[in-house]
Amino acid sequence: MPAMVLLSPNRLLAILAKEFVQMRRDRLTFAMMLVVPIIQLLLFGFAINNDPRGLPAALLATGNDRYARAVVTAMEATNYFRFIARPESAAAAESLIASGRVSFVVTIPADFGRRVERGDAPVLLVEADATDPAASSGAIAALQTVANRALLREQGREALAADQQRAALSVIIHRRYNPEAISQYNIVPGLLGVILQMTMVMMTAMALTREIERGTMENLLAMPATPAEIMLGKVLPYLVVGGVQVTVVLIAARGLFGIPFIGSLGFLILSVLIFVAALVLLGYTFSTLARTQMQAMQLTFFFFLPSLLLSGFMFPFSGMPVWAQWLGEIFPLTHFLRVVRAVMLKGAGITDLGSEFAILCLFIPLYALLALSRFRQTLD
Amino acid sequence: MSAIDVRGLTKSFGRKRVVDNVSLRVEPGEIVGFLGPNGSGKTTTIRIICGLLTPDAGEGTVLGFDVRRQSRRIKREVGYMTQRFSFYEDLTIAENLAFVARLYGLRPVENAVRRTLADLGLTSRRDQLAGTLSGGWKQRLALAACIMHAPRLLLLDEPTAGVDPKARREFWEEIHRLSAGGLTVLVSTHYMDEAERCHRIAYISYGTMLATGTVAEVIRDSGLHTFLVDSDNPVELADFVATLPGVEQVAPFGRTLHVVGRDRAALAASLAPVAARPGIAVRPGETSLEDVFIQFMARTGARPE
Ligand SMILES: Nc1ncnc2c1ncn2[C@@H]1O[C@H](COP(=O)(O)OP(=O)(O)O)[C@@H](O)[C@H]1O
Ligand SMILES: [Mg+2]
């Protein structure tokens, strides 16, 4: 009898064929794998595509001259700002924004009008609650132009084209609580990673526990399939599913949200493939650790939440304390987000992203070895 | 060389010793019945033999391979039919067979599948999902799938549990055909009539092997003697007879009581006055395998799981 090879193409084929048939027969799961990404994309995509107007604002105006009034009127006219309070002091204003009752505090200093008349650029201070930066970014973006134009108009110099370019006032924006503003474009590529992670890890985490619960594991182990064959046979079909999901999300990102697409498509697809491979192996590792499907689910969620919070998807990575950043580095999602954002939005390539890409690749052997070492060839 | 030759197998789950110093020998071509009450360690012993569990202690060979170290080689040449149906219910019959054929490297796969389907008489139902088969058909499918790769040893774990009598009979005819072709069979069961169909039996109780041998040997070695007592009111009589000296066990079979004990003289003496009563007849009888097993169970006591 020939020595047992660790990876026989025929045996791998046997498991692959079986898995594909089972996947096809499991209508509900199959539908979920295709529908979930679309629903999530629509849900998150439109939620963040929404450019909110009528944000509550507080006006702290120590000066109350006609220039100040003009600027305030112009700001209200944008519909971004809705002034709901006129606090008497800076402390009162502070408590309004801290409690979340207003999203902005606009401070017009006492010498605003005097400086305009003297020809100095006056200062407008806007404090924005950036805990939800997506919410305030539109308003902030509009501010400078609007205020500038209002001031020039009030000075009756609207007709002077040259002045249009000159800053008639300087707007100082303090983004509070969250120094780094995430743009909408930042989120949709991130969604790609999150959607992939959600479905890929969860599906493969069931791979072995399903066999155990259905009682088929005993038979599978009694037959001559090796751990490596079982692992590959179980995860490769999901690589294909991941490919389909990526296509769906990318087409939707472009079509629905007009996400710019600057970098190399080939490099993006390669990165996605490596990310998906890492994810399915991670899910498979979970399934070697869990005894029941319930445990597999719990492991998945236990992993899912911190990776969502610490990867830089929800909160900017650089805003986190150092220990959290270190923790964040252990998630494939963290590295994938850096790669995918840089590729899609900045057009970065392998030369710029070499180390991130390498780390992403490292997860594959890491998880594979972990899974193989945890795989129980007996029922002990 | 014995097909199975294991000695001193021991296996605990947690603090519970499920298999305790079990030794078993099965010669090539034999059909050996593996008997014992539920939870006595039959499945565990079979799993150790085919390499699915590692014993805590013990050693031996299966088909000449070391039971502890060569489980991959053992698996390749053993057909193991699990107690619970463990093929894929969401695959068709043909897909299940093709899966097995590919895993064992049988070629061409389609030929192996077609031949097995024909032997089973399932050709017309090849595309039916395995989960929709009745218990009897599932069991036949499982057996067919287990012998596709022409194993030298067949391990069957309660193959006929929950199967109707006709299917059971056909199943045993198949087992005897396979055995005649040189296949060695170890089959666990708790049906008495199936034990009688085996060349030899092994009886395990709560992890301990109590008896091995042919049915006749096991009965003889038990040292039990049996008297048959016919009466019109066997239930009432049984309570009384059970209190007599020398009587170790009384079991009603219809209108007949099987009165069993090790001391033949004491039994005869105790039953003489009973025989004198009107409407009651006492005669010496053959000790049956069932009597022996009931005695085994009484002796070890029904331990809580
Ligand atoms: N994997 C396991 N973990 C813990 N206990 C087990 C396991 N497998 C079997 N047992 C226990 O071992 C005992 C023997 O089981 P088993 O070998 O299945 O007996 P049988 O097949 O004779 O009914 C039972 O009490 C059972 O609960
Ligand atoms: Mg059992």
Side-chain angles (χ1 to χ4, degrees), chain A residues 1 4 10-11 14-15 17-18 21-22 25 211 213-216 218-226 377-380, chain B residues 11 47 51-54 72-73 75-77 80 82 84-88 90-92 95 99-100 102-104 107 129:
Chain A
M1 194 180 139
M4 280 283 178
N10 284 318
R11 291 197 297 258
I15 300 173
K18 159 193 163 287
V21 172
Q22 288 186 307
R25 297 246 159 87
E211 299 248 4
E213 290 198 349
R214 291 185 186 171
T216 52
E218 187 172 8
N219 205 357
L220 187 61
L221 289 178
M223 293 194 281
T226 65
Q377 270 188 285
T378 61
L379 300 165
D380 288 275
Chain B
K11 179 80 186 174
R47 284 174 175 168
L52 282 178
L53 285 174
T54 324
R72 286 194 61 79
R73 307 291 291 274
K75 282 180 195 172
R76 190 68 186 72
E77 305 211 28
Y80 171 39
T82 54
R84 177 178 163 190
F85 181 74
S86 57
F87 285 88
Y88 297 96
D90 51 350
L91 295 192
T92 66
E95 285 162 351
F99 176 61
V100 175
R102 287 201 188 103
L103 271 190
Y104 283 100
R107 285 209 241 172
L129 290 185

Side-chain angles (χ1 to χ4, degrees), chain A residues 291 379-380, chain B residues 11-14 16-19 34-47 53 83 157-158 188 190 204 206-207 304-305:
Chain A
R291 285 253 171 207
L379 300 165
D380 288 275
Chain B
K11 179 80 186 174
S12 303
F13 291 115
K16 192 164 153 200
R17 190 170 283 196
V18 168
V19 172
F34 197 16
L35 291 105
N38 272 336
S40 18
K42 300 184 294 295
T43 300
T44 306
T45 307
I46 291 176
R47 284 174 175 168
L53 285 174
Q83 183 166 353
D157 195 1
E158 299 200 21
S188 82
H190 42 222
I204 188 173
Y206 301 106
E305 282 272 310

Side-chain angles (χ1 to χ4, degrees), chain A residues 151-166:
Chain A
L151 209 52
L152 291 170
R153 195 192 304 121
E154 191 59 28
Q155 288 175 286
R157 292 191 293 178
E158 201 172 5
L160 297 173
D163 280 339
Q164 291 280 347
Q165 303 307 317
R166 194 184 62 108

Side-chain angles (χ1 to χ4, degrees), chain B residues 10-11 13 19 75 80 110 145 149 162 193 203 236 258 286:
Chain B
T10 299
K11 179 80 186 174
F13 291 115
V19 172
K75 282 180 195 172
Y80 171 39
E110 192 42 47
H149 64 290
D193 60 315
Y203 187 92
E236 210 170 287
H258 284 216
E286 292 276 312

